[in-house]
Amino acid sequence: MTSLPALLGAMTAILQAHALCKQVTNVETKEFSAEQFLFKIRVALQDGNHLQVRIYYNQGHIDYAYQLFADAPLLRWDNKEEFDHLSTYPHHHHDEQGKVYPSPLVGDPLSDVQTVLQIISKFISSRPRA
């Protein structure tokens, strides 16, 4: 069983330990029951961008959304049940132009956030510097 304190604590620890993450803030936590909760974390990144992590847990099912943003969304990953034509349905990725692609995420927040951080690191390092 997953609990709000366990999942939130583990997620926060992963984010705080990552070199890309400058400041981790829990901006929303709601516990409806031991088997149903949500949390939202915002992370200030070293390059000035932000990452938002939103997890909704309901009796073993997890809905997630990860978003890299500055003034506007840059990259997004979620498992909202749309785009059923993708091989990774319901998992999908939105690029900077809003195009939708299959996602490498699988719905395990503690491994998925590490994948997201790796992709964001590559994305940031590939962008021209101002």
Side-chain angles (χ1 to χ4, degrees):
M1 181 175 109
T2 299
S3 70
L4 173 60
L7 187 54
L8 178 59
M11 178 68 71
T12 300
I14 289 168
L15 292 166
Q16 288 174 333
H18 198 279
L20 189 61
C21 301
K22 185 174 163 184
Q23 181 179 0
V24 178
T25 305
N26 180 6
V27 295
E28 182 178 11
T29 304
K30 291 184 182 176
E31 187 168 24
F32 307 102
S33 73
E35 288 289 314
Q36 184 183 22
F37 57 82
L38 70 83
F39 63 83
K40 187 187 312 181
I41 298 172
R42 287 209 185 111
V43 183
L45 302 178
Q46 296 293 346
D47 72 332
N49 288 322
H50 293 85
L51 170 65
Q52 180 169 285
V53 176
R54 183 182 185 282
I55 303 294
Y56 172 70
Y57 180 89
N58 187 5
Q59 299 178 356
H61 176 80
I62 295 176
D63 289 327
Y64 65 82
Y66 303 90
Q67 179 172 258
L68 173 67
F69 65 96
D71 295 334
L74 297 171
L75 302 175
R76 294 180 291 146
W77 299 261
D78 67 80
N79 64 339
K80 185 172 180 184
E81 294 173 344
E82 50 189 0
F83 309 112
D84 59 357
H85 64 283
L86 295 175
S87 61
T88 59
Y89 174 82
H91 312 282
H92 57 278
H93 164 68
H94 302 258
D95 71 6
E96 201 171 357
Q97 290 76 39
K99 294 180 184 171
V100 179
Y101 297 95
S103 170
L105 305 188
V106 297
D108 174 4
L110 301 182
S111 66
D112 285 351
V113 74
Q114 295 182 55
T115 301
V116 166
L117 289 167
Q118 289 173 352
I119 294 168
I120 289 172
S121 293
K122 289 178 187 174
F123 176 80
I124 289 170
S125 65
S126 70
R127 296 185 68 151
R129 299 195 185 231

